[in-house]
Amino acid sequence: MPLELTIFLQQVTNGLMAGAAYSLVALGFTLTFGVLRVLNLAHPEVFMVGAFLGYLSITFLSPNFVLALAVSMVGAAVLGIIVERIALRPLRQAEYLMPLISTIAVSMIMQNGAAIAFGTEATRFPPALPTIFYNLRGIQISSVQIVIFVTAIVLMFVLKYYIDRTRMGRAIRATAEDAEVAAFLGVDVGMVVVLTMAVSSALAGAAGVMIGSLYNSAWPYMGINYGLKGLVIMIVGGVGSMEGAMIGGLILGVIEALTIGYLSSTYRDAIAFGILIAILLLRPHGLFGERIKTRAG
Amino acid sequence: MISGYWLEIINHVGINAIIALGLWVAIATGQLSVGHAAFAGIGGYVSAILTRDLHVPFLLALVCAGVVACIVGVIVSLLSLRLQHMFLAVATLGFGEAMVVLLLNIDYVGGIVGFQKIPLESNTLVIYAILAVLVFLFWRLENSRLGQAFRVVKDDEVIAAAVGINVGRTKVLAFGVSTFVAGVGGGLYVHLIGIVLPTDLGFAHSLNYLIFIVVGGVGTFWGPVVGSAVLTMLPELLRFSAQHRYVMFGLALLLMVVFRPRGLLTRRPIGAPEGILLSRLRQLAGLGAAPVRPVEEPEPRMGRVGE
């Protein structure tokens, strides 16, 4: 294979791996926003806590990736439920930016709580996966990357199946479309809300463990970067659209990797944002979004 | 008199209040800007270049800062008129981040080490004089037809257009004013601390101003002022506990939001009677009765149309 193509495909591959993690975070954002109509800025911190839970599991329980994943997902889900209870439920009817600020407050508490508990430096993530490098026609992939990518895709498909094909999934979709009408028709909206928070937090926790394994470190402030990108992906992919979040995350990962590879890492964020804004200007509702009804209907 | 430390804090409160008021004007028309620190930053850089390198008098530099920020703001606003709410927020967010990267890469303004050695021209008098002027102007605005137009545009653009408000013009006007004020605030800020960094224009700072406004209360212009005061001083008051202060700040913020979901200050709706405290204060000041607003709607009359 010609060198240029190899380099290109290598970048694309790296991008897809990172993108899968972005997708998981973005999915969580989309789910919570779709159902709760709230932008949950504590979500990236749940991602970060997930990474630390994975670290703790690997260090103190057993260096087993699957176990770490399970521990982190359960722990993150519980955390998400607590956050909903104390920071979101009391603000159900509040002024439209208040729940956002509430989640910001929670994220502040979590970030700095983690900094106090684990220190402000990065904590080395013990390896829980054997690291083998494969060489595919010149493209290097590590076993860690493969495991992470596959896990992410599997999680996404499980989620999609759950939302599309099960009764509870239908309840979630109904609540996302119109909570009042859903309640009218007998959906237990409270339960749906709790479930949504649990599921999206679990996804974030999983993503946290994955990124921790990928970069071998967990850091109290790792959530900020992923949070910002997850947010933008959610919007560009189309608010409330799961496909949009999934594909948008992969796209962002690839764009970033290509920018770093071919241009320079300084411009990575600017170009990524620029392209995303360009997409928004062309399709104001995002790639897969539907028309959001304005208040005037 | 007041120790230097508290004076610095008072100055910062004043500047944050000014920039928050600026952002508030945009939010008052429903335009959620999450990149306003960038406009303040543009004002900061412009005024700094003017005073440090071109020896322009401070106040004139401030005005120029405001004007430049306003022009950029108007352009951004015109480009994003199509975008609603969430999307406008992302666009302004992107704009802010783009500005940061832009400034990081321009060597003339210092790049990553920022623009330094800015003459320290800001002082409490200037800051609070400008703040007082703004408060007065906004007080007049709140009770004026333009202020009402803003509120209608915020609530429902379709109805605003239906009652004859030129929504596009109103929004761009509000955004222009808001960025002008932010630019002036930015100018004051850089002349207070003597240096401006590209990262000062970032998302984190923009979010700060947003929090000041929402926690203080979006409905009235006093909201951003009070919010800035409380939330600028709170971390300082918590300084005794170095490590835990951010956690405590987060906790305090959470409590404020959960217990006052509409903000620390709320606007009295049209027709609602004044509270006891306010009417007592009004009596004491000898201002007479509150302006009467129609409380009773005319009774709908039963009967055939035209009777």
Side-chain angles (χ1 to χ4, degrees), chain A residues 22 224-226 228-229 232 252-253 255-260 263-277, chain B residues 93-102 104-105 203:
Chain A
Y22 286 149
I224 306 177
N225 193 26
Y226 283 86
L228 199 53
K229 304 216 172 115
V232 177
L252 180 64
I255 293 180
E256 276 194 353
L258 289 174
T259 311
I260 297 180
L263 293 169
S264 88
S265 38
T266 332
Y267 286 105
R268 180 192 68 180
D269 289 338
I271 298 206
F273 269 118
I275 295 185
L276 296 175
I277 290 181
Chain B
L93 171 64
F95 169 75
E97 294 299 312
M99 280 276 101
V100 173
V101 174
L102 189 68
L104 275 173
N105 290 294
F203 172 61

Side-chain angles (χ1 to χ4, degrees), chain A residues 33 39 41 86-87 90-91 94-106 108-109 112-113 115-116 224 228 231-232 234-236 239 266-267 269-270 273 277 280-286 292 294-296, chain B residues 27 30-32 79-80 82-87 90-91 93-95 97-98 101 105 154-156 158-159 203 207 210-211 214-215 218-219 243-244 246-247 249-251 253-254 256-258 260-264:
Chain A
F33 189 78
L39 197 54
L41 283 186
I86 56 174
L91 294 170
E95 191 84 29
Y96 82 120
L97 284 174
M98 274 306 195
L100 176 70
I101 302 212
S102 177
T103 59
I104 292 177
V106 171
M108 235 185 269
I109 298 175
N112 292 289
I116 294 178
I224 306 177
L228 199 53
L231 177 58
V232 177
M234 171 182 87
I235 293 180
V236 172
V239 183
T266 332
Y267 286 105
D269 289 338
F273 269 118
I277 290 181
L280 263 188
L281 285 176
L282 292 171
R283 277 191 64 99
H285 298 285
I292 297 185
T294 59
R295 268 169 293 201
Chain B
I27 296 197
Q31 300 176 87
L32 181 59
L79 287 176
S80 45
R82 291 176 69 175
L83 301 175
Q84 297 288 337
H85 251 238
M86 182 104 294
F87 305 96
V90 172
L93 171 64
F95 169 75
E97 294 299 312
V101 174
N105 290 294
K154 176 176 195 247
D155 281 341
D156 194 326
V158 175
I159 291 193
F203 172 61
L207 200 56
L210 199 56
I211 296 179
V214 179
V215 171
V218 187
Q243 258 208 325
H244 303 260
Y246 287 114
V247 177
F249 180 73
L251 209 53
L253 185 59
L254 183 63
M256 268 190 267
V257 163
V258 166
R260 289 283 299 175
R262 299 200 56 205
L264 292 171

Side-chain angles (χ1 to χ4, degrees), chain A residues 98-175:
Chain A
M98 274 306 195
L100 176 70
I101 302 212
S102 177
T103 59
I104 292 177
V106 171
S107 83
M108 235 185 269
I109 298 175
M110 287 205 261
Q111 257 180 38
N112 292 289
I116 294 178
F118 297 100
T120 51
E121 299 296 320
T123 312
R124 275 208 45 85
F125 213 87
L129 291 168
T131 313
I132 315 169
F133 286 95
Y134 297 101
N135 195 308
L136 199 73
R137 301 264 202 100
I139 304 175
Q140 244 201 356
I141 309 185
S142 81
S143 53
V144 179
Q145 282 179 316
I146 297 180
V147 168
I148 287 173
F149 187 70
V150 168
T151 316
I153 299 288
V154 165
L155 280 174
M156 284 194 246
F157 271 100
V158 167
L159 182 69
K160 191 97 175 51
Y161 176 82
Y162 183 70
I163 301 274
D164 282 349
R165 301 285 185 91
T166 67
R167 275 193 73 184
M168 205 55 200
R170 199 161 53 185
I172 294 179
R173 275 182 288 138
T175 313

Side-chain angles (χ1 to χ4, degrees), chain B residues 145-158:
Chain B
R145 289 192 67 160
L146 185 60
Q148 281 187 340
F150 281 3
R151 283 191 287 277
V152 179
V153 167
K154 176 176 195 247
D155 281 341
D156 194 326
E157 284 186 26
V158 175

Side-chain angles (χ1 to χ4, degrees), chain B residues 56-243:
Chain B
V56 171
F58 179 50
L59 291 175
L60 182 58
L62 281 184
V63 172
C64 294
V67 168
V68 171
C70 176
I71 294 176
V72 177
V74 167
I75 295 176
V76 169
S77 179
L78 285 170
L79 287 176
S80 45
L81 274 180
R82 291 176 69 175
L83 301 175
Q84 297 288 337
H85 251 238
M86 182 104 294
F87 305 96
L88 176 64
V90 172
T92 50
L93 171 64
F95 169 75
E97 294 299 312
M99 280 276 101
V100 173
V101 174
L102 189 68
L103 287 165
L104 275 173
N105 290 294
I106 298 183
D107 285 325
Y108 171 64
V109 295
I112 197 166
V113 297
F115 202 78
Q116 302 180 355
K117 298 200 183 46
I118 303 176
L120 301 173
E121 305 261 10
S122 292
N123 55 54
T124 323
L125 182 62
V126 170
I127 296 174
Y128 278 86
I130 295 183
L131 183 59
V133 168
L134 281 177
V135 162
F136 175 71
L137 288 175
F138 284 172
W139 176 62
R140 297 292 295 165
L141 177 69
E142 186 159 270
N143 297 311
S144 73
R145 289 192 67 160
L146 185 60
Q148 281 187 340
F150 281 3
R151 283 191 287 277
V152 179
V153 167
K154 176 176 195 247
D155 281 341
D156 194 326
E157 284 186 26
V158 175
I159 291 193
V163 297
I165 299 175
N166 186 329
V167 172
R169 206 147 46 136
T170 310
K171 284 169 74 167
V172 174
L173 173 68
F175 210 79
V177 168
S178 93
T179 47
F180 179 84
V181 172
V184 169
L188 283 169
Y189 177 75
V190 309
H191 287 87
L192 182 67
I193 61 174
I195 179 173
V196 53
L197 299 165
T199 47
D200 288 341
L201 283 75
F203 172 61
H205 295 270
S206 295
L207 200 56
N208 257 341
Y209 298 121
L210 199 56
I211 296 179
F212 294 160
I213 296 178
V214 179
V215 171
V218 187
T220 164
F221 70 89
W222 285 112
V225 176
V226 168
S228 306
V230 170
L231 295 177
T232 308
M233 294 204 285
L234 198 53
E236 302 304 322
L237 293 173
L238 294 173
R239 207 174 256 279
F240 61 86
S241 167
Q243 258 208 325

Side-chain angles (χ1 to χ4, degrees), chain A residues 34-37 168-183 187-193 196:
Chain A
V35 173
L36 304 189
R37 291 280 186 269
M168 205 55 200
R170 199 161 53 185
I172 294 179
R173 275 182 288 138
T175 313
E177 191 160 321
D178 194 323
E180 269 185 60
V181 172
V187 170
D188 184 348
V189 173
M191 170 67 128
V192 166
V193 164
T196 309

